[in-house]
Amino acid sequence: GAVVSQHPSWVICKSGTSVKIECRSLDFQATTMFWYRQFPKQSLMLMATSNEGSKATYEQGVEKDKFLINHASLTLSTLTVTSAHPEDSSFYICSAPVTGGGNPEAFFGQGTRLTVV
Amino acid sequence: GDSVTQMEGPVTLSEEAFLTINCTYTATGYPSLFWYVQYPGEGLQLLLKATKADDKGSNKGFEATYRKETTSFHLEKGSVQVSDSAVYFCALSGRAAGNKLTFGGGTRVLVKP
């Protein structure tokens, strides 16, 4: 199947700093990527839809100025957590759908565990 | 909007026991249905999927059948192993929602030797 690579897999940062998370589709092009957030022992919540060549679409309640998304190319989307605070500590996962002549299938990155201290 | 409801865990089983995780959904149109598995400290992996009514998805001994009449997609495995210990997520995706995935709350399964 298709491969989505997410980097870094874990990061620890100080409060007030910014952290960038990359999501790459390695063997296919993705005009759309999705960013999810997962709190401990909870389900995944969609944060935003990243669109190549246009602005990201954010879900209700997600601060777009805090979670900056850039879809720089057909294989790369980045999520930047700006001025991070401890409450931003979470597991962030990206996914990209592969639409190959039928219903699309989503492939997920490995996830990034962010800890803000 | 679309939603997925799955049984809460944790589910604790002995090895070789039968596993069922219930999942029901509400959605407009005809969504695709998925089961994802998340092993400790890892991202999500697609376990199986079904794209239309009466389809049966299967993988690694797990099965789930797309039941449109009951809007369900229950996951089953006849004989679990310790290595099946993980969190299982039921999800749906529909073109009406731009192919975004809507997840259930997840069910933690612990298989004891």
Side-chain angles (χ1 to χ4, degrees), chain A residues 16-93:
Chain A
T17 61
S18 296
V19 174
K20 179 185 285 188
I21 303 169
E22 294 186 347
C23 181
R24 294 181 184 273
S25 56
L26 296 188
D27 49 3
F28 66 101
Q29 294 182 334
T31 56
T32 300
M33 291 185 178
F34 300 104
W35 287 96
Y36 295 85
R37 181 174 181 177
Q38 183 182 31
F39 290 101
K41 298 184 179 180
Q42 295 188 29
S43 187
L44 285 79
M45 300 300 295
L46 180 66
M47 298 175 64
T49 302
S50 173
N51 304 299
E52 191 271 336
S54 63
K55 292 182 179 180
T57 306
Y58 290 82
E59 297 299 303
Q60 191 173 8
V62 178
E63 299 176 62
K64 62 180 180 181
D65 294 330
K66 180 166 187 61
F67 299 99
L68 300 179
I69 290 173
N70 181 267
H71 202 132
S73 72
L74 288 171
T75 58
L76 174 63
S77 175
T78 60
L79 168 68
T80 301
V81 182
T82 63
S83 187
H85 288 94
E87 57 265 29
D88 298 324
S89 299
S90 190
F91 194 58
Y92 294 87
I93 307 177

Side-chain angles (χ1 to χ4, degrees), chain B residues 45-95:
Chain B
Q45 300 175 27
L46 178 65
L47 182 59
L48 53 84
K49 66 176 181 180
T51 58
K52 61 182 187 296
D54 300 325
D55 267 3
K56 177 185 282 188
S58 61
N59 186 27
K60 298 181 181 179
F62 290 89
E63 292 184 341
T65 301
Y66 190 143
R67 301 287 189 198
K68 187 167 177 59
E69 63 276 13
T70 55
T71 61
S72 64
F73 192 54
H74 305 322
L75 182 68
E76 296 181 337
K77 184 172 185 180
S79 177
V80 294
Q81 305 300 314
V82 173
S83 57
D84 293 324
S85 298
V87 181
Y88 294 82
F89 292 93
C90 185
L92 68 81
S93 172
R95 286 194 176 89

Side-chain angles (χ1 to χ4, degrees), chain B residues 7-75:
Chain B
M7 60 189 288
E8 292 187 18
V11 175
T12 303
L13 302 165
S14 297
E15 220 169 8
E16 300 184 1
F18 185 86
L19 170 67
T20 298
I21 304 176
N22 290 338
C23 171
T24 57
Y25 69 91
T26 58
T28 54
Y30 302 93
S32 295
L33 301 175
F34 306 86
W35 275 101
Y36 285 88
V37 59
Q38 184 178 33
Y39 298 103
E42 298 184 15
L44 271 70
Q45 300 175 27
L46 178 65
L47 182 59
L48 53 84
K49 66 176 181 180
T51 58
K52 61 182 187 296
D54 300 325
D55 267 3
K56 177 185 282 188
S58 61
N59 186 27
K60 298 181 181 179
F62 290 89
E63 292 184 341
T65 301
Y66 190 143
R67 301 287 189 198
K68 187 167 177 59
E69 63 276 13
T70 55
T71 61
S72 64
F73 192 54
H74 305 322
L75 182 68

